[in-house]
Amino acid sequence: MKGFPKGFLWGGATAANQCEGAYLEGGKGVSVSDVMTGGSHKEPRRASLSMDEAYYYPSRTAVDHYHRFREDIALFAEMGFRAYRFSISWARIFPNADDKEPNEEGLAFYENLLRELKKYGIEPLVTISHNEMPLAIVQNYRGWPNKKVIDLYVRFCRTIFERYKDYVTYWLPFNEVNDLMLPLSDLLQGGIYSEKEGGDRSPEGLNRRMNALNNVMIASARAVKEGRKINPAFRFGTMICHITMYPRTCSPDDILLVQQDDLVRNCMCSDVMLRGEYPYYAWRFFERNGVSLALSEEEKEILKEGVCDFYSFSYYQSICESTQVFDEKTSGNIMGGVKNPYLELTQWDWPIDPVGLRYTLNKVYDRYHVPVIITENGLGASDVLEDGRVHDPYRIAYLRRHIEEMKKAVDDGVELFGYTAWGCIDLVSVSTGEMRKRYGFIYVDRDDEGNGSYARYKKDSFYWYQKVIASNGEELGEEPG
Ligand code: BG6
């Protein structure tokens, strides 16, 4: 079997709002994530724009990566990372979004981080916006439906492109851009505040959200164009939350349902960002749902000119869908589905489907024929720290099985150039706000009430991943018993 290519980008991924903390230090402004309360699997997080101190806001302190990034990067280097995906907090650079000058302390923070990566020869992959925007965008501009926000974003991009042009090649303009198809992402990705729990599900809400998403994609295309002027060597990628979907039965109605949902939810954004225009099914979807898109001829041109270079995506699980009634449901990243009887579930009820990753890699490569990188994948599980050790065979088993399938996809012919495991150091869960739901190779002593020393501990998976990287994916070890 063909192995992983030489120079394969093995590494890990984080996001500023889930790991940095220090939410008001270094001149940073309040960001949308800072107003999200803690929650759990059973109790949803809430947005508290009044910042009522009666609640706990986990992103404000997170795992204190802001003060400990040198220690953390040294640990990543010890694991042998060749790549590290992190995001830039927009509110550290432009605290109020429309400030006259960028915040030098914020710019210096990421420059120091990039220098530290360079010291170890770790390739940075920078997410420009990951559930992140200054709260001022929500309060003063009412979020991404407002076209003025496109200019603010492009200015933010130009500032960081200029400053970091000698350090960074790979940029991801927006994390999981297609999450904005769903009401749940109204605030964190669309900057749209709604009193309604879980976002605005009304037809007007959908119209607003689709216009926000349209502006996000125009902003991405403009950023790509600007970036290429600043450094023609820059490479830009989509970042799609790929919810792989299967029909629960082989009824033609189920097949059609999945085909239509998959196109709209998984393919529409990457079609725009890689092919440069809205596909036919998107117009049909807008028409049928009363969406009227504000997209000028000039903006259509921008979408064509600012297409990305590579396809990146997150993959955690698959779901089933059906036109028939099935009572058993499962949860998942941004959306759940009908239970698949062939798959086991994580502690948070996300189906575990390694073969689905091979299927997905082949699907997206066949569709776009551009290089592919998996920018998120991993297992959220609660770990036990005992005598400074964490035994996490369940995490090793999950990752091992996914990497095996990646290898098969490479053998199938997919041009896969990297893998950054999600939450390589424990961080705040985005869906539940918990610390208890851990993804890391590195354990952080911090709990759901904000207690803990922030001390870092290497889990068993740390040593396992070190071997995987050193052998370029050849030594995956035995399936743990
Ligand atoms: C992705 C996000 O949706 O899934 C990450 O890009 C997130 O920010 C990850 O953390 C895992 O989800 P969760 O809810 O377990 O944190």
Side-chain angles (χ1 to χ4, degrees), residues 18 130 175-176 316 333 350 376 422 429-431 437 439:
Q18 291 170 264
H130 190 136
N175 179 63
E176 293 192 341
Y316 291 90
N333 187 20
W350 293 21
E376 281 185 35
W422 175 249
S429 155
V430 85
S431 56
K437 188 180 188 192
Y439 286 87

